[in-house]
């Protein structure tokens, strides 16, 4: 981080020093329970730690609303904060919580960091966050007062999320934290920088534009981007000088180019809804062409759904339930998780016990999930299931790695991916699979998805699409899967996953 902040100053002898934050903290009090539903979670929260201030994190707005409703039904003073509430509404809840004592505030990631909510006694996690970094931020909300320690209580509402929580704790115990990695190929930011420079200076010379960024990797494709900006009239050229063009005025000129001056964006996710009910969220790489057309189903919340409409601007997917494929046994995780997170779940399934106090319900749930996954994980390698409906490879490498590998395979393999597995048609061939060349592979991204990439309007469509694909690519782990050891298990029957 210090090296990143130093930038070009590193060549001038400017040095930084990492200073210890002090003696190691006392090991946190971590507990894991399986409660089976949001309503049961509310009963447990109401019964534990009366008189204390509790912060309960949920993984969706719908879940947060349901938990808050159930907690109030238990007679508990409850506040709520999530991104669909107005800023004023959220601030009122946060202020009231900071001043109260015997109460709970229910939140999505909006209270993960950056907002002071006063002294906190307990952190409760419904199900599990999707990264160790997120867990550490939430855990760090506790133990701030003298004489107190950090603590976290995980309440899993499904066996699937129980396994994720166990895997997260197992991964945390190894000392792993997700690395801070800048998104690759930020061509959209290069386009924004050119336009911002023209706005700042009034004009700049085309022949010497490189001097403004001193070899920054952000501008690696600068010549390509600059040519397009001129061709598409985002920049006008006169005598070798470049300045704001009419297309930039139309696209970004509102409110004195305010939109152009902010580069902060979040990962693109789309909310999936059935009628008025929010089912969950998906990544753009979950919406391949066949899923969008409705010829293949989207698996979410343990059920198959047929896509009815995708509104990219509103980031909304409308679906209808579809039971025509029968019982869906294999897991579905449309939001990308890291290779390390998914492999940690595999470690738990193969016998590693999460470093937390487990209730008797949790121990029973752990036995249940291990039994359910017994044929899908093996100490010797990845498990390959062949069945009448196709071939499933339980490679446990994360959605990004799987989709990157799928992009390198022949189209007739008909690969469909989750975080845990890749499912192929019966045309699957292990020899062709082994020969997959992933070094240039890019996962499929629907052309409409680029609307969620800020400043994509200032890029050619193919370049914007490739830029978004690069953000989701994981060639390292795609190659690891292609070359990994495979264990073939008994053929499954028709209708199985």
């Amino acid at each position: 981080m210090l090296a990143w902040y130093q930038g070009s100053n590193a060549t001038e002898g400017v040095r930084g020093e990492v200073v210890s934050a002090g003696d190691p903290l006392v090991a946190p009090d971590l507990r894991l329970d399986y409660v089976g539903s949001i309503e049961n979670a509310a009963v447990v929260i109401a019964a534990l730690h009366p008189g204390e201030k509790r912060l309960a994190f949920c993984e969706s707005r719908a879940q947060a609303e349901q938990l808050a409703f159930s907690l109030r039904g238990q007679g508990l003073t409850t506040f709520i904060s999530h991104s669909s509430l107005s800023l004023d509404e959220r601030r009122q809840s946060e202020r009231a919580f900071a001043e109260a004592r015997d109460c709970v505030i229910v939140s999505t990631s909006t209270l993960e960091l950056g907002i002071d909510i006063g002294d906190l006694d307990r952190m409760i996690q419904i199900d599990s966050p999707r990264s160790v970094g997120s867990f550490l931020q939430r855990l760090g909300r506790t133990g701030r007062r003298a004489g107190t320690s950090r603590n976290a209580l995980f309440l899993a509402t499904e066996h699937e999320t129980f396994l994720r929580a166990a895997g997260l704790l197992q991964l945390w115990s190894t000392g792993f934290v997700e690395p801070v990695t800048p998104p690759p190929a930020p061509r959209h930011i290069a386009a924004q920088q050119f336009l911002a420079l023209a706005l700042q200076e009034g004009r700049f010379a085309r022949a010497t534009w490189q001097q403004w960024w001193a070899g920054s990797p952000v501008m690696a494709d600068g010549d390509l981007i600059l040519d397009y900006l001129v061709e598409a009239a985002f920049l006008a050229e006169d005598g070798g000088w470049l300045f704001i063009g009419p297309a930039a005025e139309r696209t970004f000129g509102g409110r004195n180019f305010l939109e152009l001056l902010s580069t902060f964006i979040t990962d693109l996710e789309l909310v999936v809804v059935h009628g008025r009910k929010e089912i969950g969220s998906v990544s753009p790489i979950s919406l391949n062409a066949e899923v969008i057309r409705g010829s293949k189903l989207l698996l979410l919340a343990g059920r198959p759904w047929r896509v009815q409409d995708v509104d990219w601007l509103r980031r909304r997917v409308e679906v209808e339930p579809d039971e025509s494929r029968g019982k869906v046994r294999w897991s579905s995780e449309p939001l990308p998780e890291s290779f390390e997170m998914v492999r940690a779940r595999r470690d738990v399934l193969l016998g590693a016990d999460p470093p937390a106090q487990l209730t008797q319900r949790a121990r029973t749930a752990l036995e249940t999930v291990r039994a359910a996954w017994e044929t899908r994980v093996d100490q010797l390698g990845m498990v390959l299931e062949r069945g009448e409906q196709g071939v499933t490879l339980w490679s446990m490498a994360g959605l990004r790695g799987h989709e990157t590998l799928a992009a390198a395979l022949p189209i007739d393999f008909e690969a469909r991916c989750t975080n845990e597995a890749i499912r192929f048609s019966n045309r699957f061939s292990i020899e062709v699979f082994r020969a997959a060349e992933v070094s240039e592979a890019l996962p499929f991204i629907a052309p409409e998805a680029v609307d969620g990439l800020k400043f994509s309007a200032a890029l050619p469509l193919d370049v914007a699409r490739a830029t978004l694909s690069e953000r989701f690519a994981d060639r390292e782990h795609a190659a690891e899967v292609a070359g990994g050891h495979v264990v073939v298990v008994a053929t499954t029957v028709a209708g199985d996953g």
Side-chain angles (χ1 to χ4, degrees):
M1 185 63 74
L2 282 172
W4 184 80
Y5 271 117
Q6 283 178 255
S8 59
N9 288 331
T11 61
E12 301 175 11
V14 178
R15 299 179 61 83
E17 180 183 359
V18 177
V19 180
S20 170
D23 295 332
L25 295 173
V26 176
D29 177 13
L30 304 178
R31 300 169 186 264
L32 176 57
D33 194 3
Y34 174 74
V35 293
S37 71
I38 288 291
E39 292 77 12
N40 289 343
V43 172
V44 171
I45 293 170
L48 292 177
H49 316 300
E52 295 187 337
K53 292 176 68 171
R54 289 148 281 181
L55 170 57
F57 282 104
C58 295
E59 295 308 296
S60 72
R61 290 162 293 184
Q63 190 181 63
E65 290 285 357
Q66 187 180 359
L67 178 61
F69 178 82
S70 297
L71 286 170
R72 286 165 182 159
Q74 293 289 323
L76 215 56
T77 301
T78 304
F79 308 98
I80 188 167
S81 175
H82 60 70
S83 60
S84 290
L85 298 173
S86 69
L87 182 61
D88 183 62
E89 185 78 19
R90 296 203 305 272
R91 292 294 181 264
Q92 287 185 38
S93 288
E94 291 151 15
R95 283 194 299 269
F97 178 75
E99 296 166 359
R101 282 308 309 165
D102 184 5
C103 60
V104 178
I105 186 167
V106 180
S107 174
T108 56
S109 59
T110 56
L111 291 185
E112 195 171 281
L113 72 166
I115 298 174
D116 185 9
I117 53 174
D119 291 337
L120 185 69
D121 296 304
R122 303 284 170 178
M123 191 279 277
I124 300 165
Q125 173 66 57
I126 305 300
D127 294 327
S128 172
R130 294 176 183 267
S131 72
V132 174
S134 184
F135 165 60
L136 289 174
Q137 290 287 355
R138 299 175 185 192
L139 180 64
R141 284 298 197 176
T142 62
R144 295 186 175 187
R145 296 195 316 272
T148 64
S149 61
R150 294 176 299 160
N151 62 82
L153 169 64
F154 285 77
L155 300 177
T157 63
E158 300 174 358
H159 284 117
E160 187 175 342
T161 56
F162 172 84
L163 178 57
R164 183 181 297 119
L168 171 78
L169 291 169
Q170 172 62 24
L171 184 58
W172 164 80
S173 72
T174 68
F176 173 85
V177 182
E178 291 78 13
V180 179
T181 305
R187 303 178 187 96
H188 56 306
I189 301 300
Q192 180 257 358
Q193 288 293 292
F194 279 126
L195 296 174
L197 179 62
L199 189 65
Q200 169 185 300
E201 298 296 312
R203 63 177 187 172
F204 66 93
R206 181 166 187 159
T208 59
W209 68 262
Q210 293 91 342
Q211 297 176 8
W212 285 95
W213 289 280
S216 168
V218 172
M219 309 302 287
D221 294 317
D223 286 320
L224 170 69
I225 305 303
L226 194 56
D227 287 344
Y228 177 76
L229 290 174
V230 173
E231 177 186 338
F234 283 91
L235 289 174
E237 184 171 16
D238 185 14
W241 292 93
L242 300 172
F243 44 91
I244 291 292
E249 292 273 5
R250 290 192 302 270
T251 307
F252 303 112
R255 295 187 296 168
N256 296 317
F257 289 93
L258 182 63
E259 184 67 18
L260 192 62
L261 302 180
S262 171
T263 60
F264 290 102
I265 55 175
T266 58
D267 284 342
L268 175 60
E269 295 177 5
L270 295 90
V271 175
V272 179
V273 296
H274 172 224
R276 295 185 177 182
K277 182 179 180 181
E278 180 181 323
I279 309 300
S281 301
V282 295
S283 164
I285 58 174
S286 304
L287 299 172
N288 61 39
E290 292 171 306
V291 170
I292 292 173
R293 288 197 303 266
S295 56
K296 282 194 173 180
L297 302 180
L298 176 70
L299 299 180
L300 184 62
R303 296 183 61 192
W305 306 90
R306 193 172 301 279
V307 171
Q308 303 296 309
D309 182 65
V310 180
D311 188 331
W312 294 99
L313 289 176
R314 296 173 62 201
R315 301 187 182 186
R316 181 183 176 93
V317 183
E318 295 182 8
V319 297
E320 291 291 336
D322 191 305
E323 306 296 345
S324 61
R325 296 292 293 272
K327 184 180 179 182
V328 179
R329 283 185 52 212
W330 65 302
S331 182
S332 169
E333 292 299 329
L335 288 180
E337 292 182 82
S338 70
F339 173 86
E340 292 82 6
M341 276 283 290
V342 185
R343 283 296 168 95
R345 290 207 287 277
R346 179 178 182 270
D347 292 342
V348 170
L349 291 169
L350 289 172
D353 289 329
Q357 297 183 50
L358 272 63
T359 65
Q360 185 55 52
R361 290 187 299 251
R363 295 188 182 282
T364 301
L366 186 57
E367 293 174 0
T368 300
V369 295
R370 283 174 173 166
W373 281 79
E374 186 177 11
T375 61
R376 303 175 189 175
V377 292
D378 194 289
Q379 294 281 4
L380 298 178
M382 302 177 293
V383 171
L384 184 74
E385 278 185 320
R386 288 188 178 273
E388 295 181 14
Q389 301 299 315
V391 176
T392 302
L393 179 68
W394 297 98
S395 38
M396 310 290 285
L399 185 61
R400 289 189 170 103
H402 291 161
E403 288 285 358
T404 304
L405 176 56
L409 294 170
I411 193 170
D412 61 356
F413 272 39
E414 299 178 5
R416 196 172 71 201
C417 306
T418 69
N419 281 307
E420 293 86 2
I422 314 176
R423 182 170 183 171
F424 304 99
S425 70
N426 280 318
R427 297 183 181 89
F428 176 84
S429 160
I430 192 66
E431 293 76 21
V432 176
F433 176 78
R434 292 290 191 208
E437 178 51 62
V438 302
S439 61
E440 301 295 328
L442 289 173
F444 172 85
I445 295 291
E448 299 87 350
V450 300
D451 291 339
L453 186 69
K454 198 166 187 182
F455 313 123
S456 61
L459 294 175
L461 178 59
D462 59 336
V463 173
R465 193 174 174 189
T467 298
L468 196 54
S469 293
E470 286 280 0
R471 295 176 65 180
F472 289 105
D474 182 359
R475 299 186 182 98
E476 176 188 354
H477 296 119
E480 185 171 329
V481 171
H485 184 70
V486 173
V487 178
V488 181
V489 299
T491 302
T492 57
V493 298
D496 282 352

